[in-house]
Amino acid sequence: MNRRQYRKLDFVVASLQRRFGPRAIYRYEQPSTPTLLPHIPTGFGELDQALGIGGIPQGQITELLGPATSGKVTLAPKVIAQAQRAGHQAAWVDLGWMLDADYLHRCQVNLKELLVVRPHNGQEALAIAASLAAGELGVLVFDEVTSLKGQNLSPVFLEGALAQIHHRLAHSPCAMIFLTTTYFGPPGDAANYPPGFSLDHYTALRLALKREKWIRQHGDVRGYQAIVTVLKNRWAPPAGPVQIEITFDGTVRGNGL
Amino acid sequence: MRILCLLIPHFPASLERRDEPGLDGQPVVIAQEGKVLDCSPEALDQGVREGMKVGRAERLCPEAVVRTAHIARYEGAFERVIEVLAGVSPVVEAGKWGEAYTDISGQTSGFDDEVILCQQVGRKLKQEVGLTGMMGVAGNKFTSYVAAWIIRQGRALLLRPGTEREFLAPLPLELLPLSEEMIKELRLLGIRSMGQFARLPAGAVLDRFGPQGRRIHQLAQGRDERPLLPYQRPPVVEATRQFEPPLGMNEILVRAGGKLAHTCCQRLRKRGLSCQEVHLTLSFEDGSSHSAQQTLSGPTADRLLVEASARELLTRLSCADRVTEARLVLGGLQAQEGKQLTLGVITRPAKVDLVRLVRPLAARFGADSFYGGRVLDSSSPLAELRFAWQPWVEEREKVDSSVE
């Protein structure tokens, strides 16, 4: 194509985008929705890039899966810290009553602006989460899905609760994060969820985390490297695994943050 | 090497007290853009800290006298302090306001001479700046700073060469530039004084605290290799115009002021700089001179803004005398920076009233389901001593009532 033909094509593309919106037509090598979607950055640059939209989508459900000490409870506070920096507020549903406020503080979370919910049972936890999902929060973390197992919740209730949360989130700027510890099987295995809790169906983003190695300095453990694999992403093409580094020396840092 | 350290604590507050003797003994708070820039020791005792919001400082110390900061005045006064030290030795390093070092090795022939020199500096400081300071003389910067820090106002502490380590040994760890975490860690190890820290093996300190910890370890041993960084006067752009015959305050003088601003702005642009301070000095027929200055809201190289400022200063200085010379100086120079233009207005999300959100939920599920976290002592090995959960509704109501 000569220059004149290029110019003519550009003109046609521009007029189409004006008429049908910027997502109607785009170059193949560029992502279709670069940063148009409201999102909250994770604070890990490479991971944000791999997610396609620059972070965790708002108004959607995200799931972080992985075994213990894989970085789930570091990544979630880092997202909260980023959201708080942008002026959002956050809440943490702590079903297991295991949350460490000091660790959140070390992850640069402003505790004064964080609501911690410690429900008495799983039913209450899901009902409160559904109410908060519609509450204009920036981030809502549900910690953790595995605790719902063994609470004898009916599959119909669980399915209904998830559908309600999903519906309420669609009208809210809240990025909801479910944390799932893979005690009972590999990531994605139905054994990790209570029956009827079809989280994989409702999530827009699923990230599997796995600890790769410990980082040692002078014999002391100073952090660890983890691999994040994108299992499902509704907004971007699948990206390869991303390595993140979490170090703790007074403050918890991720990739030099 | 012999270093003299001069400290004038709470420099801005001391200057305000110097200019307004009625403030003596009263807590003084210097405010800049709604935050505390500096405060007097009396206000410090009441819990006022630098960087705190002025409203909070007033709540903590209701009897405090709040004064607006005059940055240019403080800078000018500190430059005079530097000049006093420059009269002693050509190498002067300026720290933050009220802290300066000078190398006096070679200026004195012995310890007694150093005593006389300190007395001279103290007298000159009192005469030229109207303030008293604390002085420390030692073989390096850190030790001289500590010597000045622990001595009373208006006094000097001189250490004999080679006695730095013994002098520092009984002093507390807090005088070292250690982070809070490191101090807690050292306390857990039973180390409370600089001498105990200095006695630790260098390799162990390097292993545990890294190169930064090793540097601080050397300071505790009375070794500080840092050289003095000579003070450089901040650069300015200036233009002068003489009037022959002398001019009265009229339109011609105003136009001349505009031309001076134009010349200065051209020079600024050539050097790729912008300015934030405008000083105008007028010399009069009787030999006297008056000056005025204005701080602009942001750095600029815009001719119109500087011209408007120069005109305002001229009206401020206007009098019946005839002017022989006008001098315009642009200070606060910094490199011009491009500003990223945005297509849309960046808006922050509206603040959610969490109390309103939580109240109906607390009524439904019980107030004992909603908590706020508070860190108590990060270094404690027991979880219950590290942080505490407080019922959210109760905590928020307490905050609300305290605000009211």
Side-chain angles (χ1 to χ4, degrees), chain A residues 122-196:
Chain A
Q123 194 173 351
E124 210 176 284
L126 285 169
I128 293 173
S131 303
L132 290 176
E136 302 284 316
L137 293 170
V139 183
L140 174 60
V141 179
F142 190 93
D143 181 14
E144 60 171 359
V145 174
T146 325
S147 304
L148 291 172
K149 265 179 85 91
Q151 298 220 4
N152 288 330
L153 297 171
S154 78
V156 177
F157 167 76
L158 289 172
E159 179 67 36
L162 262 185
Q164 199 180 18
I165 289 173
H166 185 253
H167 174 72
R168 288 187 176 185
L169 280 177
H171 305 286
S172 133
C174 180
M176 183 153 186
I177 302 171
F178 278 92
L179 306 185
T180 309
T181 307
T182 51
Y183 287 126
F184 305 99
D189 194 331
N192 293 313
Y193 306 93

Side-chain angles (χ1 to χ4, degrees), chain A residues 110-130:
Chain A
N110 179 5
L111 289 175
K112 283 183 189 163
E113 297 293 329
L114 178 75
L115 168 69
V116 176
V117 184
R118 309 181 92 185
H120 301 105
N121 52 51
Q123 194 173 351
E124 210 176 284
L126 285 169
I128 293 173

Side-chain angles (χ1 to χ4, degrees), chain B residues 377-386:
Chain B
D377 180 8
S378 277
S379 62
S380 174
L382 294 174
E384 59 264 36
L385 295 181
R386 279 210 309 274

Side-chain angles (χ1 to χ4, degrees), chain B residues 135-334:
Chain B
M135 277 175 274
V137 179
N140 57 56
K141 265 168 76 175
F142 175 71
T143 318
S144 65
Y145 174 83
V146 175
W149 182 252
I150 62 168
I151 200 76
R152 271 196 356 227
Q153 187 109 13
R155 299 286 179 95
L157 179 60
L158 290 86
L159 303 181
R160 288 191 184 276
T163 59
E164 283 84 8
R165 188 167 176 159
E166 290 93 304
F167 163 71
L168 293 173
L171 298 175
L173 276 180
E174 280 75 7
L175 288 172
L176 285 168
L178 288 165
S179 67
E180 212 173 301
E181 289 277 331
M182 278 170 82
I183 289 179
K184 278 183 184 166
E185 210 168 324
L186 287 168
R187 281 184 181 279
L188 278 174
L189 295 169
I191 293 161
R192 290 173 189 281
S193 69
M194 283 201 223
Q196 287 172 319
F197 184 49
R199 279 196 293 278
L200 293 177
V205 173
L206 190 64
D207 267 0
R208 185 125 199 146
F209 302 109
Q212 177 67 14
R214 174 72 186 117
R215 271 194 290 278
I216 299 171
H217 184 238
Q218 284 178 336
L219 294 183
Q221 290 174 333
R223 288 158 57 200
D224 184 3
E225 310 285 322
R226 291 174 298 165
L228 286 193
L229 305 169
Y231 173 75
Q232 287 180 333
R233 192 181 288 274
V236 291
V237 166
E238 58 182 313
T240 311
R241 190 141 190 210
Q242 287 166 338
F243 306 106
E244 187 57 47
L247 282 178
M249 285 287 170
N250 56 25
E251 189 57 36
I252 301 170
L253 186 65
V254 173
R255 229 179 287 162
K259 275 193 176 172
L260 283 176
H262 182 62
T263 315
C264 284
C265 284
Q266 269 184 337
R267 288 176 188 168
L268 270 185
R269 272 200 290 273
K270 265 186 198 166
R271 291 166 63 181
L273 296 170
S274 56
C275 72
Q276 200 166 3
E277 283 161 21
V278 183
H279 303 253
L280 181 74
T281 309
L282 295 181
S283 303
F284 296 98
E285 221 173 2
D286 59 354
S288 65
S289 67
H290 292 291
S291 60
Q293 71 112 22
Q294 194 180 39
T295 304
L296 304 173
S297 58
T300 183
D302 188 349
R303 182 176 60 89
L304 294 175
L305 279 178
V306 178
E307 256 184 46
S309 171
R311 261 191 228 116
E312 196 186 320
L313 293 176
L314 266 174
T315 47
R316 225 190 276 174
L317 291 173
S318 64
C319 64
D321 286 347
R322 285 150 68 91
V323 180
T324 54
E325 188 186 90
R327 183 162 168 258
L328 189 74
V329 180
L330 303 184
L333 303 188
Q334 45 190 286

Side-chain angles (χ1 to χ4, degrees), chain B residues 15-204:
Chain B
L15 279 175
E16 293 293 339
R17 278 188 170 166
R18 179 199 68 179
D19 298 341
E20 206 178 327
L23 295 176
D24 276 345
Q26 283 189 56
V28 180
V29 171
I30 311 293
Q32 188 193 22
E33 292 169 1
K35 290 195 172 170
V36 176
L37 177 78
D38 187 37
C39 62
S40 65
E42 294 83 4
L44 206 66
D45 290 343
Q46 305 271 343
V48 179
R49 294 286 178 271
E50 281 175 27
M52 188 182 267
K53 284 192 178 167
V54 175
R56 185 152 178 240
E58 281 176 328
R59 276 201 296 279
L60 287 168
C61 183
E63 65 275 18
V65 180
V66 181
R67 290 280 178 270
T68 313
H70 298 96
I71 305 294
R73 189 146 62 91
Y74 306 149
E75 278 172 354
F78 188 52
E79 269 188 34
R80 284 205 294 283
V81 172
I82 300 289
E83 277 164 21
V84 168
L85 285 182
V88 174
S89 163
V91 185
V92 181
E93 178 182 328
K96 51 190 182 197
W97 284 339
E99 180 188 330
Y101 302 86
T102 182
D103 185 357
I104 57 167
S105 39
Q107 309 294 323
T108 52
S109 58
F111 191 76
D112 295 337
D113 265 10
E114 287 177 358
V115 176
I116 295 166
L117 190 118
C118 286
Q119 287 169 344
Q120 283 173 353
V121 170
R123 270 199 296 274
K124 215 168 173 192
L125 192 71
K126 185 80 187 158
Q127 280 169 7
E128 297 201 1
V129 193
L131 295 174
T132 52
M134 308 180 302
M135 277 175 274
V137 179
N140 57 56
K141 265 168 76 175
F142 175 71
T143 318
S144 65
Y145 174 83
V146 175
W149 182 252
I150 62 168
I151 200 76
R152 271 196 356 227
Q153 187 109 13
R155 299 286 179 95
L157 179 60
L158 290 86
L159 303 181
R160 288 191 184 276
T163 59
E164 283 84 8
R165 188 167 176 159
E166 290 93 304
F167 163 71
L168 293 173
L171 298 175
L173 276 180
E174 280 75 7
L175 288 172
L176 285 168
L178 288 165
S179 67
E180 212 173 301
E181 289 277 331
M182 278 170 82
I183 289 179
K184 278 183 184 166
E185 210 168 324
L186 287 168
R187 281 184 181 279
L188 278 174
L189 295 169
I191 293 161
R192 290 173 189 281
S193 69
M194 283 201 223
Q196 287 172 319
F197 184 49
R199 279 196 293 278
L200 293 177

Side-chain angles (χ1 to χ4, degrees), chain A residues 84-89 99-102 105-106 111-120 124 127-128 131-132 135-137 218 222 250, chain B residues 181 206-208 348-354 357-358 361 364-366 368-375 378-379 386-389 392 396:
Chain A
Q84 286 180 334
R85 253 176 237 167
H88 290 288
Q89 278 165 313
L99 190 62
D100 185 336
D102 181 42
H105 173 68
R106 285 165 190 265
L111 289 175
K112 283 183 189 163
E113 297 293 329
L114 178 75
L115 168 69
V116 176
V117 184
R118 309 181 92 185
H120 301 105
E124 210 176 284
I128 293 173
S131 303
L132 290 176
E136 302 284 316
L137 293 170
H218 311 301
R222 291 287 184 188
Chain B
E181 289 277 331
L206 190 64
D207 267 0
R208 185 125 199 146
R348 286 178 77 79
K351 199 100 174 159
V352 185
D353 188 352
L354 281 178
L357 184 69
V358 170
L361 292 172
R364 188 172 155 203
F365 299 104
D368 60 340
S369 290
F370 300 92
Y371 294 87
R374 193 157 54 91
V375 176
S378 277
S379 62
R386 279 210 309 274
F387 60 87
W389 295 115
W392 177 273
R396 284 294 152 139

